[in-house]
């Protein structure tokens, strides 16, 4: 399996995903098309054939999200994605579903979130415009009602006749009824607008959550992790306070996943995410860094304090047996390795991540289920 993956990757140096299949469908007889459009359609069909063939060759599930990622890989529309997937294949590895999910969320989730925010903002402006127009119109009409009532009353003398009182009563009743109808209509409009605004708010909250959260674990995603760490580093320099970072990796997760299946593997990732949340507090931040790798940002924590937190997390995970809830089968325990590094005021946050990552690798190569601090 590895040899076939490796050879196919070498062949992709000139063409990432191989050649298109022969016999690409042409124009339907009798159909009139623009030559430029026909050429573009033919090119898209060829690219689609290349993408699907490559996905079948590498055993990639044909989901819409996977297709989007693999299309970008095959046709090099996203250089960083191409580099990361290519590195996995070049090393003879198998592309796991979790990696494709992470790549999709990282590279393709953002624009849809921005569209949701943009559309919600436009809707909010529309609702506000409708309210302003209606209030102004009703305000003018109600002012007219007031002027009419004033005129009716002024036309009545100090001793009006019965006929004059009847006419005045009829006019006042009619105007009052009209004014009441306008007020009720305005109340209904406000009530409907409030419902729309609440709905927009919920959509915006969801868009923000989807843009910043990992869908599987509920932790912050890599994008949000980068933003929080950058802010934490700035704050640490401003306040002259400590800042530490944990990088955590579930030991032998691929083997566990292959043995018990992706459903159980996903449950382990969720369990680890909840465990991290249980062991942080205040301004601490837990994030899924990618795959089975996680990170915890610890503002105000020294290297020794961060190591203590890491040990608590490691011991808590190792003491929780994993069970298949469907069958009741005990699957043993999973462990994690942790690397710890402390921020050096003035350095780039990338250097902090690199040192924590190096400490993590030292923990894994040192036997796993252990915590290592930066050298």
């Amino acid at each position: 399996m590895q040899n076939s993956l490796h050879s196919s990757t070498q062949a992709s140096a000139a063409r990432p995903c191989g050649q298109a299949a022969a016999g690409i469908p042409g124009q339907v007889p009798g159909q009139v098309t623009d030559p430029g459009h026909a050429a573009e359609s033919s090119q898209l069909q060829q690219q689609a054939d290349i993408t699907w063939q490559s996905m079948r060759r590498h055993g990639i599930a044909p989901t819409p999200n996977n297709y989007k990622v693999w299309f970008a890989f095959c046709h090099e529309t996203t250089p960083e994605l191409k580099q990361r997937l290519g590195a996995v294949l070049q090393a003879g590895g198998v592309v796991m579903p979790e990696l494709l999910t992470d790549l999709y969320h990282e590279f393709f989730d953002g624009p849809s979130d921005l569209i949701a925010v943009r559309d919600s903002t436009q809707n909010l402006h529309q609702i506000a415009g409708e309210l302003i127009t209606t209030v102004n119109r009703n305000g003018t009409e109600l002012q007219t009602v007031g002027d009419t009532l004033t005129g009716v009353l002024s036309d009545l003398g100090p001793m009006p006749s019965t006929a004059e009182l009847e006419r005045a009563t009829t006019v006042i009743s009619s105007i009052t009824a009209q004014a009441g109808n306008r007020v009720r209509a305005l109340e209904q409009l406000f009530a409907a607008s409030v419902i729309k605004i609440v709905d927009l708010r919920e959509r915006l909250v969801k868009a923000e959550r989807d843009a910043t959260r990992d869908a599987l674990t509920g932790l912050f995603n890599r994008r949000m992790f980068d933003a929080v760490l950058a802010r934490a580093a700035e704050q640490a320099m401003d306040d002259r306070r400590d800042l530490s970072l944990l990088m955590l990796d579930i030991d032998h997760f691929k083997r566990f996943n292959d043995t018990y299946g992706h459903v159980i593997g996903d449950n382990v990732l969720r369990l680890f995410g909840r465990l991290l949340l249980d062991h942080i507090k205040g301004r601490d931040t837990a994030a899924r860094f990618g795959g089975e790798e996680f990170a915890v940002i610890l503002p105000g924590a020294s290297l020794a304090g961060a190591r203590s937190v890491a040990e608590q997390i490691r011991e808590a995970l190792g003491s929780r047996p994993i069970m298949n809830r469907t069958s009741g089968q005990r699957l043993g325990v999973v462990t994690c390795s942790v690397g710890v590094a402390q921020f050096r005021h003035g350095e780039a946050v990338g250097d902090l991540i690199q040192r924590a990552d190096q400490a993590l690798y030292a923990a894994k190569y040192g036997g796993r289920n252990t915590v290592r601090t930066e050298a």
Side-chain angles (χ1 to χ4, degrees):
M1 178 65 176
Q2 288 188 356
N3 290 336
S4 64
L5 280 173
H6 186 65
S7 61
S8 67
T9 306
Q10 287 180 325
S12 71
R15 217 179 156 82
C17 296
Q19 299 293 329
I24 297 174
Q27 180 179 342
V28 177
Q31 182 182 14
V32 179
T33 59
D34 173 69
H37 177 73
E40 181 180 358
S41 297
S42 177
Q43 181 184 12
L44 288 173
Q45 179 67 57
Q46 185 178 23
Q47 290 175 331
D49 288 343
I50 291 171
T51 304
W52 285 122
Q53 287 182 32
S54 179
M55 290 177 70
R56 286 195 296 269
R57 189 163 59 250
H58 294 300
I60 306 301
T63 67
N65 291 356
N66 286 352
Y67 176 82
K68 196 167 187 176
V69 171
W70 210 258
F71 184 95
F73 167 66
C74 284
H75 306 291
E76 305 183 53
T77 59
T78 309
E80 185 180 349
L81 182 151
K82 162 70 177 175
Q83 181 181 7
R84 284 163 60 178
L85 262 180
V88 173
L89 294 177
Q90 189 71 43
V94 177
V95 178
M96 302 297 292
E98 294 83 359
L99 174 59
L100 294 174
T101 298
D102 289 342
L103 291 174
Y104 177 81
H105 286 310
E106 181 174 348
F107 290 97
F108 300 109
D109 246 0
S112 61
D113 298 329
L114 295 177
I115 290 172
V117 172
R118 182 199 64 191
D119 290 346
S120 295
T121 303
Q122 290 176 346
N123 289 337
L124 194 58
H125 279 293
Q126 180 180 356
I127 292 171
E130 291 174 354
L131 284 173
I132 292 170
T133 300
T134 305
V135 168
N136 287 340
R137 183 175 65 248
N138 278 275
T140 301
E141 292 175 351
L142 290 175
Q143 179 63 47
T144 302
V145 169
D147 293 342
T148 303
L149 289 174
T150 301
V152 170
L153 293 176
S154 63
D155 289 342
L156 292 175
M159 294 293 293
S161 65
T162 301
E164 290 175 330
L165 282 174
E166 288 179 353
R167 283 195 300 271
T169 301
T170 301
V171 172
I172 292 173
S173 297
S174 174
I175 292 176
T176 303
Q178 293 174 18
N181 289 336
R182 292 192 183 98
V183 171
R184 282 190 291 275
L186 191 57
E187 289 175 346
Q188 292 172 357
L189 175 63
F190 271 107
S193 298
V194 167
I195 293 173
K196 290 180 182 178
I197 290 170
V198 169
D199 177 65
L200 290 179
R201 179 182 177 277
E202 291 176 351
R203 288 173 56 192
L204 287 172
V205 169
K206 183 180 183 301
E208 181 181 4
R209 182 175 63 250
D210 291 346
T212 60
R213 297 281 178 177
D214 171 61
L216 181 64
T217 64
L219 300 179
F220 282 136
N221 58 19
R222 173 63 189 276
R223 183 190 308 171
M224 192 63 178
F225 164 81
D226 289 338
V228 172
L229 184 59
R231 287 199 298 268
E234 292 177 1
Q235 192 66 47
M237 287 190 291
D238 290 342
D239 298 342
R240 308 303 298 173
R241 297 186 64 186
D242 290 333
L243 168 66
S244 293
L245 175 67
L246 310 183
M247 297 296 291
L248 312 95
D249 189 273
I250 300 176
D251 297 327
H252 301 298
F253 181 74
K254 181 181 181 301
R255 186 171 67 191
F256 187 92
N257 220 18
D258 292 343
T259 302
Y260 299 111
H262 297 305
V263 173
I264 301 296
D266 286 349
N267 287 338
V268 170
L269 293 174
R270 293 189 187 97
L271 167 68
F272 193 50
R274 289 195 299 269
L275 186 144
L276 292 180
L277 292 177
D278 289 342
H279 285 81
I280 63 175
K281 58 184 180 180
R283 296 184 300 162
D284 301 341
T285 299
R288 187 180 180 190
F289 197 76
E292 65 270 23
E293 192 169 357
F294 294 76
V296 176
I297 303 169
L298 299 170
S302 65
L303 194 65
R307 182 185 180 97
S308 176
V309 174
E311 288 287 4
Q312 293 172 22
I313 293 171
R314 183 191 64 79
E315 292 173 4
L317 180 64
S319 66
R320 294 192 181 186
I322 307 299
M323 291 188 62
N324 184 333
R325 295 181 179 178
T326 302
S327 65
Q329 178 188 6
R330 286 182 173 271
L331 308 179
V333 298
V334 294
T335 61
C336 67
S337 300
V338 190
V340 188
Q342 185 173 2
F343 179 61
R344 299 168 185 172
H345 291 180
E347 73 173 339
V349 291
D351 295 337
L352 171 62
I353 296 173
Q354 183 177 17
R355 292 201 315 279
D357 216 32
Q358 289 171 346
L360 170 61
Y361 278 104
K364 296 190 79 66
Y365 288 119
R368 294 183 170 83
N369 192 22
T370 188
V371 176
R372 292 288 178 89
T373 56
E374 61 182 327

